[in-house]
Amino acid sequence: MGRKVHPVGMRLKINRVWSARWYAEGTRYRDLLLEDFEIRRHLEKELERAGVADIEVERYPNQVQVTIFTARPGIVIGRKGENVKVIRTGLEEICGGKKVKVEVEEITKPDIDAKLVASNIAGQIERRISHSRAMKRAITQAMRQGAQGIRISVSGRLGGSEMARREWMVEGRVPRNTLRSHIDYGFSEALTTYGRIGIKVWIYKGDVVGIEEPKIRGAE
């Protein structure tokens, strides 16, 4: 068994920050944590086709701020902001009537966002495109957009084989154990007729020392 550590979790307060920023104690912490999970589930379901890479939650005494990082902000906002109003209403119901502020941030380079790359490969596998072809295309596009290294791992019954296996491709440098390296990590699953296929993506964007508050996602 290997010792597996989450690439973001091990770099918190070094060059990454938490995706949920609030403080609570006792049962209130439990309730707010479950509320965070419900917020993320709701948004991922409502914005399934919007290319959502990350959802961040900040809590204030009388307000909850939700920041949505997406490659397609037009879908999230909707015509004249109609979709945002619907999203805000749904989140206020989840938060028990608290005022919710929704911020939408555009991801200008989706080809080097690990979560979006993993989701894109999963979508191609579900459309019966060869996993190796999808991985090669993703690697080529990421390196063209300025990534210093990328590693993609897929596991499951690849190609409908009888036995599950794991395959991976690497290009460039991906120093996963170097704390100062900015590693973007994403995971997704492809639902095929043979079963689930897991996709993990690591993208190396260079070394970063220190974090800029309140900067949230480690951008390019």
Side-chain angles (χ1 to χ4, degrees):
M1 294 294 292
R3 296 185 180 90
K4 298 176 179 63
V5 180
H6 197 283
V8 176
M10 71 180 294
R11 291 176 175 85
L12 287 174
K13 299 302 290 182
I14 296 173
N15 56 19
R16 302 299 292 268
V17 294
W18 284 264
S19 59
R21 290 182 296 284
W22 46 267
Y23 177 80
E25 293 182 352
T27 58
R28 179 167 168 75
Y29 172 83
R30 177 198 62 196
D31 296 338
L32 293 181
L33 183 63
L34 292 174
E35 194 175 283
D36 273 13
F37 283 131
E38 188 62 30
I39 287 172
R40 295 175 193 278
R41 276 194 294 265
H42 175 75
L43 289 177
E44 287 172 359
K45 183 179 179 181
E46 292 291 323
L47 305 174
E48 189 176 358
R49 298 184 178 180
V52 174
D54 199 7
I55 299 163
E56 302 200 336
V57 181
E58 287 186 84
R59 294 182 183 274
Y60 302 97
N62 297 314
Q63 180 178 299
V64 179
Q65 179 173 319
V66 179
T67 307
I68 303 170
F69 293 85
T70 174
R72 301 170 186 168
I75 296 177
V76 178
I77 297 171
R79 184 175 296 177
K80 297 182 180 179
E82 293 177 358
N83 203 15
V84 168
K85 293 177 182 176
V86 174
I87 291 171
R88 187 185 299 115
T89 303
L91 294 179
E92 287 177 350
E93 291 179 3
I94 294 172
C95 296
K98 278 188 179 179
K99 184 179 178 183
V100 177
K101 182 180 180 183
V102 178
E103 296 284 344
V104 180
E105 294 285 342
E106 182 180 5
I107 296 175
T108 56
K109 295 182 178 180
D111 289 332
I112 57 174
D113 189 285
K115 171 65 176 174
L116 296 180
V117 172
S119 298
N120 184 29
I121 294 173
Q124 293 185 58
I125 293 175
E126 289 176 350
R127 296 195 300 271
R128 298 181 182 274
I129 295 174
S130 168
H131 65 278
S132 57
R133 180 181 175 187
M135 292 163 68
K136 288 177 183 176
R137 183 184 300 172
I139 288 174
T140 302
Q141 292 174 342
M143 298 301 289
R144 191 178 298 162
Q145 286 291 324
Q148 296 189 24
I150 178 171
R151 175 188 175 96
I152 302 176
S153 171
V154 296
S155 59
R157 293 181 60 187
L158 303 176
S161 61
E162 289 294 325
M163 184 176 291
R165 67 181 190 275
R166 178 181 289 111
E167 292 185 9
W168 63 87
M169 293 184 183
V170 185
E171 186 163 336
R173 289 181 60 235
V174 187
R176 291 179 292 170
N177 295 322
T178 305
L179 290 177
R180 68 174 178 271
S181 61
H182 176 56
I183 302 289
D184 192 16
Y185 172 76
F187 171 77
S188 186
E189 287 183 338
L191 306 180
T192 68
T193 55
Y194 305 110
R196 291 177 184 262
I197 294 178
I199 302 103
K200 295 180 180 179
V201 178
W202 296 262
I203 297 179
Y204 175 51
K205 300 181 181 179
D207 290 346
V208 179
V209 180
I211 54 178
E212 298 178 15
E213 300 285 0
K215 195 170 183 179
I216 305 167
R217 279 182 69 80
E220 298 75 22

